[in-house]
């Protein structure tokens, strides 16, 4: 900005402040600026000072974006080692998002990768000169921390954190990660932090800081038995941030989604194939499938059975190969070739020990069984090969026509994205569609492998077109190339679930589920590729339904009605998805029904039971519990989002305004300037303006424009009031002056007063976080005492039971034995009672120590750095 000496001097400090602002990370992130995400980010960086936060926005509101912003902030603040623990199936998606949206490089680590070169990984993880962001499955996260105990982790993100809520009674992986990550700042991401009971919250919040709620016993007593919900909300408020989709409807224009089904019936050969595979999978003894992973592999085969006969051939060839090896006498561990194909379909951890079974059965008997099973596998392969076309593909052609007709009518670009779970089916669908007249360039296949000729050509062309632009890394660029090609050239994108991760297809309004996963979360992710922020048209989800199969129809009804996946503005509702333990657990419940039921009546009974189970989790009580997560009213939420929206606008305006100023020509030492005829015009009086910064030693805390009257009394005008007035000053009117001795004394007095004023202002900024920490520690002291009292009551109750036993016994020796126990327990009880005061004092002292330690970080060496003293 041309000439304004005073504002130029002030811009020196203002630019530093803007760069240090958390909003600074919005400038180079490739994201939309949505107020709820910025609010969540600000809440998180505040909460990190006291352990962390659970970010619990509803599905589809961008928790990954919030986490990415926090991650940028943490790295800028000096963190070197970040661990991101998440379901194995989401690792690739996170790697792409971090690179694409935030320009951050991460590495996926698992046991095989690390053990291949453990000394090199130890070196890389302990080298603090470089930043290392590690993505790993829940299961391996704690194993990695144990494997390299010398690695100091600075920050942890746990995605889909509801999977770890049973930390104190449930999975070992949750307990291990909890123990190893104590004291490391972390954020947990989940749309459903409360699923079945309040104890879910206890588990998740304990990951942040176990002192907030104390032991489960104390938590249950206060919140479950005592139903002290107002206190619970108060305790949750600093450690849980949640936004519902209805809260942001005015910022994010969500379109509706609707659903259509296209029915089909199987041919005779397809019915035979279905029956044979179904009977095969229900066999009690199966040599072709490793024992410990049987459930998962059967689930995959059932998925492929619903996909296409062509996908099944490949699968049964793998089983055949295993059976032939076992028949020859190979160990199970040597007969696992090709099984990695199955792992790409499952989201659970694979137990590799399942391949190391011992063979203790009589070999001759075993060989007979293996031969019989091999015969059946060969018949299944023959029947599958007999089938030249699937009935379902004709239904798909109808679905595409329905979509294109509707799009033509509505003036929408003719485009559909087709989802299948199998690469083999993907190729088969493309071949069948080309036979019906679609050109090669109309159809695009994508599965994340980047290995077919067409996608390689598309990528090369994209690279040429985007030469010299930001380099995102190969896998992210590939996805950009695919999305660009689909937007501008192709009509049909045939995608696998793995391939679709990280694709944003809001320019396409139709999703066709060629095969429908049983996992509601996966369907939500599929539709969410198109039904997302930025979509301009209502989204249509088309499902293909086998009308002969009552079980398939029933599953579809549950997915459609119970989970509300296919209708409405927001897709799968929070309450509906909250009824799930997890998507994979629902999948397993459905698999169990397919595996154990034979008749229509059995299927009906089993699905009715599943229905009732899901209904029970959506009752009034479930809704009431979920309302506890809303720690502020919708009015307050709306106001907070409006405030943030204007804060962001002001920040972006400030960046633009202050960056227009050149670097000041005058140095940052102390200068005395004066200007005539300004004070009278602006304030109606004379006075002094101090321009500079308030610092902690040499670190800038905030820039200052401090106005005083001519007697030195501070006038509380803020920057927004003063800057427009300073713009009016002409540089020609500004000149140096030498202060008199009495002026110097006045300035010194004013300086001291202003320093005290700025210290007060700084302390007010940190007061809320200090108060929260004090309350948390005092709460912990109270919990410890409650725990002592509960232990005392339990011991008393045990003595009462023993006394009852003594009265009831008519055996002299037994009575003596019981009395001895009573005496021992009474002594222990007395000892506990005597220690009450001492323990209470100990808790108090420990609490005070922690409070003092925490508050030390806010101590400063205050310096008011004055650059210009302006007399007017």
């Amino acid at each position: 900005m041309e000439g304004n000496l005073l504002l130029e001097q002030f811009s020196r400090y203002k630019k530093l402040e803007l760069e240090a602002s958390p909003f600074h990370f919005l400038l180079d992130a490739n994201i939309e600026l949505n107020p709820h995400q910025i609010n969540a980010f600000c809440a998180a960086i505040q909460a990190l000072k006291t352990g962390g936060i659970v970010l619990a926005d509803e599905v589809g509101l961008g928790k990954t974006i919030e986490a990415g912003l926090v991650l940028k902030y943490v790295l800028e603040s000096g963190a070197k080692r970040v661990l991101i623990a998440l379901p194995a199936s989401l690792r690739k998606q996170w790697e792409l998002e971090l690179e694409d949206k935030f320009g951050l490089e991460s590495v996926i680590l698992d046991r095989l990768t690390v053990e291949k070169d453990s000394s090199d990984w130890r070196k890389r993880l302990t080298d603090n000169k470089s930043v290392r962001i590690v993505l790993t499955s829940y299961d391996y996260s704690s194993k990695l921390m144990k494997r390299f105990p010398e690695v100091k982790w600075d920050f942890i993100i746990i995605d889909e954190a509801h999977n770890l809520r049973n930390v104190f009674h449930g999975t070992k992986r949750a307990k291990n990660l909890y123990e190893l990550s104590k004291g490391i700042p972390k954020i947990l991401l989940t749309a459903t932090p409360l699923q079945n009971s309040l104890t879910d919250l206890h588990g998740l919040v304990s990951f942040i800081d176990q002192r907030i709620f104390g032991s489960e016993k104390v938590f249950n007593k206060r919140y479950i038995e005592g139903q002290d919900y107002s206190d619970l909300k108060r305790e949750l408020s600093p450690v849980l941030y949640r936004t519902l989709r209805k809260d942001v409807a005015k910022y994010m224009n969500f379109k509706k989604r609707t659903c259509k089904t296209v029915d089909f019936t199987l041919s005779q050969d397809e019915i035979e194939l279905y029956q044979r595979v179904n009977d095969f999978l229900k066999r009690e003894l199966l040599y072709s499938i490793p024992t410990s992973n049987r459930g998962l592999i059967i689930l995959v085969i059932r998925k492929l059975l619903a996909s296409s006969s062509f996908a099944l051939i490949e699968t049964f060839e793998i089983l055949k190969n295993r059976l032939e090896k076992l028949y020859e006498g190979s160990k199970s561990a040597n007969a696992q070739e090709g099984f990695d194909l199955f792992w790409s379909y499952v989201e659970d951890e694979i137990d590799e020990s399942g391949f190391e079974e011992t063979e203790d059965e009589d070999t001759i008997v075993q060989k007979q069984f293996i031969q019989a099973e091999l015969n059946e596998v060969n018949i299944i392969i023959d029947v599958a090969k007999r089938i030249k076309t699937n009935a379902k593909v004709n239904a798909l052609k109808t679905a595409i026509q329905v979509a294109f007709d509707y799009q033509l009518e509505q003036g929408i670009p003719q485009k559909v994205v087709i989802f299948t779970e199998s690469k083999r089916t993907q190729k088969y669908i493309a071949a069948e569609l080309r036979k019906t007249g679609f050109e090669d360039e109309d159809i695009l296949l994508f599965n994340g492998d980047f290995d077919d000729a067409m996608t390689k050509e598309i990528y090369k062309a994209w690279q040429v077109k985007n030469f010299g632009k930001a380099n995102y890394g190969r896998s992210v660029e590939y996805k950009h190339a695919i999305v660009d090609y689909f937007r501008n050239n192709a009509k049909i994108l045939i995608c696998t679930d793995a391939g679709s991760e990280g694709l944003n297809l809001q320019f396409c309004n139709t999703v066709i589920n060629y095969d429908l996963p049983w996992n509601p979360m996966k369907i939500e992710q599929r539709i969410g590729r198109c039904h997302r922020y930025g979509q301009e048209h209502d989204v249509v989800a088309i499902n293909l339904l086998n009308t002969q199969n009552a079980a398939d129809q029933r599953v579809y009804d549950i997915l459609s009605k119970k989970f509300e996946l296919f209708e409405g503005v927001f897709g799968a509702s929070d309450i509906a998805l909250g009824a799930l333990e997890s998507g994979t657990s629902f999948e397993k419940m459905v698999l169990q029904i397919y595996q154990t039921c034979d008749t229509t009546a059995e299927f009906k009974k089993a699905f009715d039971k599943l229905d009732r189970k899901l209904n029970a989790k959506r009752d009034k009580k479930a809704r009431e519990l979920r309302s506890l997560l809303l720690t502020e009213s919708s009015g307050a939420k709306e106001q907070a989002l409006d405030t943030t929206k204007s804060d962001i606008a002001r920040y972006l305006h400030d960046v633009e305004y202050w960056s227009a100023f050149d670097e000041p020509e005058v140095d940052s030492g102390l200068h005395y300037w004066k200007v005539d005829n300004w004070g009278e015009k602006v304030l109606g009086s004379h006075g002094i303006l101090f321009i500079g910064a308030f610092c902690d030693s040499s670190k800038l805390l905030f820039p200052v424009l401090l106005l005083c009257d001519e007697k030195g009394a501070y006038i509380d005008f803020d920057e927004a009031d003063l800057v427009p007035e300073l713009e009016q000053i002409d540089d020609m009117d500004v000149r140096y002056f030498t202060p008199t001795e009495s002026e110097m004394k006045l300035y010194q007095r004013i300086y001291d007063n202003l320093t005290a004023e700025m210290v007060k202002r700084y302390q007010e900024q940190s007061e809320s976080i200090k108060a929260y920490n004090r309350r948390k520690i005092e709460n912990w002291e109270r919990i410890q005492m409650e725990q002592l009292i509960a232990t005392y009551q339990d011991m008393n109750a045990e003595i009462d039971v023993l006394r009852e036993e003594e009265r009831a016994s008519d055996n002299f020796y037994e009575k003596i034995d019981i009395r001895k126990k009573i005496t021992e327990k009474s002594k222990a009880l007395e000892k506990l009672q005597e220690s009450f005061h001492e323990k209470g004092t100990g808790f108090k002292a420990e609490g005070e120590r922690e409070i003092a330690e925490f508050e030390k970080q806010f101590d400063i060496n205050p310096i008011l750095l004055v650059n210009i003293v302006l007399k007017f």
Side-chain angles (χ1 to χ4, degrees):
M1 183 172 281
E2 282 305 309
N4 187 309
L5 282 170
L6 292 158
L7 290 178
E8 207 169 75
Q9 289 304 115
F10 186 62
S11 75
R12 181 200 310 272
Y13 309 108
K14 194 64 195 171
K15 285 174 189 171
L16 289 171
E17 182 195 39
L18 291 169
E19 204 166 306
S21 161
F23 286 178
H24 167 66
F25 301 103
L26 308 179
L27 299 175
D28 61 350
N30 180 21
I31 59 167
E32 297 268 353
L33 301 181
N34 290 313
H36 73 278
Q37 292 171 338
I38 311 307
N39 268 14
F41 160 61
C42 293
I45 60 176
Q46 182 76 342
L48 284 180
K49 295 170 185 162
T50 55
I53 200 167
V54 180
L55 295 180
D57 290 354
E58 265 192 302
V59 173
L61 292 184
K63 288 182 290 296
T64 319
I65 300 289
E66 294 164 5
L69 286 169
V70 178
L71 180 52
K72 287 276 278 190
Y73 175 84
V74 165
L75 294 174
E76 193 111 336
S77 307
K80 295 289 186 189
R81 294 289 164 271
V82 176
L83 185 69
I84 303 178
L86 65 176
S89 60
L90 296 180
R91 292 173 305 185
K92 194 72 194 162
Q93 187 176 330
W94 265 79
E95 183 188 33
L96 295 169
E97 277 281 270
L98 289 177
E99 196 167 3
D100 187 15
K101 302 258 189 318
F102 301 100
L104 293 173
E105 205 178 296
S106 55
V107 61
I108 295 172
L109 287 188
D110 54 27
R111 188 177 62 82
L112 291 173
T113 311
V114 170
E115 294 311 321
K116 212 177 276 179
D117 197 347
S118 63
S119 60
D120 184 48
W121 277 111
R122 174 177 277 111
K123 210 183 299 168
R124 286 199 234 177
L125 291 173
T126 49
D127 169 23
N128 276 336
K129 289 190 192 78
S130 58
V131 166
R132 198 67 68 189
I133 302 167
V134 173
L135 296 159
T136 173
S137 69
Y138 300 134
D139 190 48
Y140 191 65
S141 57
S142 53
K143 289 179 179 152
L144 180 70
M145 292 171 96
K146 271 188 187 154
R147 181 79 179 77
F148 302 123
E150 64 274 38
V151 176
K152 182 188 169 294
W153 298 98
D154 300 306
F155 179 50
I156 293 178
I157 298 173
I158 302 175
D159 193 17
E160 301 293 346
H162 50 269
N163 290 314
L164 304 182
R165 69 191 185 285
N166 291 331
V167 60
F168 299 113
H169 37 78
T171 57
K172 220 198 276 177
R173 65 185 183 184
K175 185 89 174 121
N176 289 343
L177 187 55
Y178 168 76
E179 291 296 348
L180 288 162
S181 69
K182 274 183 186 173
I184 301 172
K186 59 180 79 66
I187 54 175
L188 277 58
L189 310 177
T190 171
T192 49
L194 176 58
Q195 289 178 282
N196 310 318
S197 130
L198 278 184
T199 53
D200 296 348
L201 284 179
H202 176 260
L204 289 181
V205 172
S206 295
F207 265 97
I208 303 293
D209 188 341
Q210 66 274 31
R211 294 171 306 185
I212 294 169
F213 287 140
S215 73
E216 201 169 359
K217 199 172 194 176
V218 170
F219 178 84
N220 290 349
K221 200 171 171 51
R222 184 180 299 172
Y223 300 116
I224 296 178
E225 292 164 32
Q227 298 203 341
D228 187 353
Y229 290 166
S230 59
D231 186 50
L232 179 65
K233 273 196 170 193
R234 194 176 69 123
E235 294 302 336
L236 277 177
S237 180
V239 286
L240 187 134
Y241 183 88
R242 180 169 180 76
T243 304
L244 303 181
R245 279 176 284 204
K246 65 183 177 62
D247 295 332
V248 298
K250 77 177 199 182
Y251 299 112
M252 300 172 84
N253 180 14
F254 289 107
K255 294 294 175 185
K256 273 200 322 204
R257 62 170 72 167
T258 54
C259 167
K260 296 179 191 292
T261 56
V262 177
D263 297 342
F264 65 93
T265 54
L266 299 178
S267 67
Q268 218 39 59
D269 281 345
E270 286 176 299
I271 290 170
E272 183 188 342
L273 179 66
Y274 182 91
Q275 207 47 60
R276 282 187 179 278
V277 174
N278 190 38
D279 293 345
F280 178 80
L281 294 178
K282 286 182 176 180
R283 284 176 166 219
E284 218 162 287
L285 186 66
L286 278 173
Y287 285 94
S288 51
I289 300 175
T291 316
S292 70
N293 291 312
R294 177 157 303 177
L296 291 176
I297 293 175
I298 287 173
L299 176 65
V300 171
I301 296 172
R302 286 207 175 272
K303 285 180 181 188
L304 296 172
L305 178 59
S307 183
S308 74
S309 53
F310 305 91
L312 269 183
I313 295 169
E314 183 181 22
T315 312
F316 274 87
E317 294 281 8
I318 292 166
L319 301 188
K320 178 182 175 178
N321 180 38
R322 175 172 163 85
L323 288 169
E324 285 171 344
K325 285 197 169 171
L326 291 176
Y327 190 83
E328 288 160 16
S330 294
K331 286 261 185 288
S332 295
N334 303 326
Q336 53 167 303
E337 208 176 297
F339 271 82
D340 51 356
L341 172 88
F342 291 95
W343 307 153
S344 59
Y345 293 97
V346 294
E347 293 166 56
D348 282 33
E349 304 291 328
I350 303 307
D351 180 2
E352 289 165 23
S353 64
F355 291 103
E356 293 153 21
E357 302 142 36
T358 53
E359 296 167 37
D360 50 4
E361 222 181 301
D362 181 320
T363 315
I364 297 166
V365 178
Q366 207 182 31
K367 282 199 164 190
Q368 287 174 335
F369 282 126
I370 291 170
Q371 187 58 60
E373 196 175 318
L374 192 51
N375 295 343
E376 187 54 39
V377 166
N378 279 323
I379 293 169
I380 287 170
I381 291 170
D382 289 344
V383 174
K385 282 181 175 172
R386 255 198 341 250
I387 299 165
K388 295 293 173 253
T389 183
N390 290 150
K392 199 190 229 183
V393 90
N394 295 323
L396 174 68
K397 290 169 188 171
T398 307
I400 293 171
Q401 202 48 56
V402 165
F404 283 175
D405 290 348
Y406 172 77
Q407 288 166 338
L408 198 60
E409 204 179 288
Q410 299 293 319
I412 298 171
Q414 287 188 313
K415 290 191 187 299
V416 297
V417 56
I418 300 166
F419 279 101
T420 172
E421 297 202 76
S422 153
K423 291 176 197 171
R424 182 65 73 96
T425 303
Q426 193 187 22
K427 286 179 181 142
Y428 159 66
I429 293 169
E432 286 291 312
L433 292 180
R434 285 189 182 115
K435 279 183 204 168
T436 55
F438 284 104
E439 301 296 327
D440 277 3
E441 59 269 21
D442 289 337
I443 299 170
L444 181 58
L445 272 67
F446 191 61
N447 53 37
D449 282 354
F450 320 120
D451 60 357
D452 68 290
M454 187 173 172
T455 53
K456 281 180 182 168
E457 285 306 312
I458 289 169
Y459 179 48
K460 270 186 205 159
W462 183 90
Q463 279 182 307
V464 170
K465 200 169 104 188
N466 292 276
F467 182 76
K469 291 190 186 165
N471 177 9
Y472 295 107
R474 185 170 172 270
S475 53
V476 172
E477 289 185 344
Y478 238 116
K479 297 210 169 191
H480 282 316
I482 292 297
V483 170
D484 272 8
Y485 187 85
F486 181 39
R487 185 192 289 110
N488 301 320
N489 304 84
K491 290 183 175 179
I492 298 169
L493 172 64
I494 309 171
C495 221
T496 62
D497 290 301
S500 78
E501 287 172 356
L503 294 185
N504 296 332
L505 308 171
Q506 58 271 58
F507 53 85
C508 168
N509 85 313
T510 302
V511 173
I512 301 176
N513 288 306
Y514 187 77
D515 32 47
L516 197 62
W518 291 341
N519 181 341
M521 305 285 198
K522 198 171 253 187
I523 300 170
E524 182 57 41
Q525 279 165 358
R526 284 180 174 189
I527 300 173
R529 295 277 144 241
C530 298
H531 188 222
R532 62 197 299 115
Y533 184 56
Q535 173 60 260
E536 290 173 14
H537 308 284
D538 290 348
V539 169
V540 183
I542 305 180
N543 300 302
L544 314 178
L545 203 56
N546 174 4
T547 49
Q548 294 156 307
N549 191 320
D552 285 4
Q553 281 197 290
R554 196 64 195 273
V555 172
Y556 175 75
D557 281 345
I558 290 177
L559 291 170
S560 173
K561 296 192 179 93
K562 280 285 175 293
F563 295 115
E564 304 160 26
L565 282 164
F566 306 118
E567 303 287 339
V569 177
F570 297 132
S573 83
D574 178 52
I575 292 281
L577 291 178
L580 291 173
E581 294 289 317
S582 69
T584 49
S585 72
F586 177 75
E587 215 170 32
K588 283 172 187 165
M589 287 188 271
V590 173
L591 175 65
Q592 184 62 17
I593 294 173
Y594 274 83
Q595 281 295 99
T596 53
C597 298
D598 293 309
T599 65
T600 310
E602 284 174 356
F603 273 111
K604 184 180 182 315
K605 192 178 167 189
F607 277 116
D608 285 349
K609 190 178 170 188
L610 177 58
D611 236 356
R612 286 194 298 277
K613 191 172 176 182
L614 292 170
N615 280 340
K617 291 179 182 175
R618 296 187 58 181
D619 62 8
K620 190 166 164 245
K621 179 76 176 158
R623 286 169 191 269
E624 188 190 329
L625 287 180
R626 260 183 210 94
S627 74
L628 291 174
L629 303 173
L630 305 174
T631 52
E632 56 188 340
S633 70
S634 58
K637 185 74 161 180
E638 191 176 343
Q639 201 179 343
L641 292 174
D642 284 345
T643 304
T644 300
K645 196 168 170 49
S646 57
D647 285 350
I648 295 168
R650 189 166 57 249
Y651 178 78
L652 296 175
H653 165 268
D654 281 357
V655 168
E656 194 179 343
Y657 178 84
W658 292 106
S659 59
F661 284 94
D662 295 329
E663 279 305 301
E665 286 175 32
V666 179
D667 65 43
S668 58
L670 175 57
H671 301 278
Y672 295 95
W673 292 356
K674 65 186 238 178
V675 63
D676 298 324
N677 310 321
W678 177 71
E680 292 93 328
K681 264 194 303 186
V682 177
L683 303 166
S685 70
H686 296 286
I688 308 114
L689 177 71
F690 291 80
I691 299 176
F694 183 62
C695 302
D696 171 16
S697 294
S698 60
K699 181 189 167 195
L700 179 133
L701 296 172
F702 45 82
V704 292
L705 284 174
L706 301 172
L707 193 68
C708 300
D709 64 21
E710 55 191 327
K711 289 180 184 158
Y714 173 54
I715 304 168
D716 194 4
F717 270 37
D718 64 21
E719 187 186 305
D721 298 320
L722 283 168
V723 168
E725 301 303 340
L726 289 171
E727 283 176 345
Q728 309 306 316
I729 297 176
D730 188 328
D731 283 358
M732 302 302 286
D733 296 336
V734 178
R735 51 191 193 279
Y736 280 95
F737 79 98
T738 306
T740 63
E741 202 174 317
S742 64
E743 280 178 325
M744 285 300 283
K745 279 180 183 162
L746 173 66
Y747 297 157
Q748 186 56 52
R749 182 165 55 79
I750 297 173
Y751 177 87
D752 294 340
N753 291 342
L754 290 177
T755 305
E757 189 68 41
M758 292 305 100
V759 168
K760 195 171 121 204
R761 189 192 290 184
Y762 169 76
Q763 283 169 343
E764 277 165 7
Q765 287 176 354
S766 57
E767 192 40 53
S768 63
I769 199 159
K770 285 185 192 172
Y772 167 63
N773 186 63
R774 278 196 296 275
R775 200 181 82 226
K776 184 167 73 169
I777 304 283
E778 282 156 11
N779 184 44
W780 170 80
E781 289 168 25
R782 191 175 80 234
I783 287 168
Q784 296 305 102
M785 288 310 290
E786 280 178 33
Q787 188 75 51
L788 268 184
I789 293 162
T791 308
Y792 179 82
Q793 286 166 341
D794 288 349
M795 287 170 77
N796 229 335
E798 282 173 24
I799 292 169
D800 288 344
V801 169
L802 285 170
R803 285 198 175 116
E804 202 53 55
E805 280 177 20
E806 185 196 356
R807 273 196 293 276
S809 173
D810 49 12
N811 181 317
F812 175 73
Y813 292 108
E814 194 177 26
K815 273 182 182 291
I816 288 174
D817 211 27
I818 293 170
R819 212 167 287 155
K820 199 171 160 192
K821 280 183 190 164
I822 291 171
T823 308
E824 280 169 13
K825 285 196 180 285
S826 297
K827 276 183 187 165
L829 188 66
E830 221 172 284
K831 208 169 174 189
L832 181 69
Q833 202 171 359
E834 284 167 7
S835 70
F836 262 41
H837 178 69
E838 188 190 328
K839 286 198 160 143
T841 310
F843 295 143
K844 197 144 196 57
E846 192 179 334
E848 280 166 8
R849 240 190 347 269
E850 286 218 22
I851 289 168
E853 191 59 40
F854 179 80
E855 292 187 358
K856 241 195 245 168
Q857 66 183 298
F858 300 102
D859 291 347
I860 57 167
N861 175 26
I863 293 171
L864 182 58
L865 176 70
V866 178
N867 183 193
I868 305 292
V869 175
L870 181 76
K871 186 166 80 164
F872 58 84

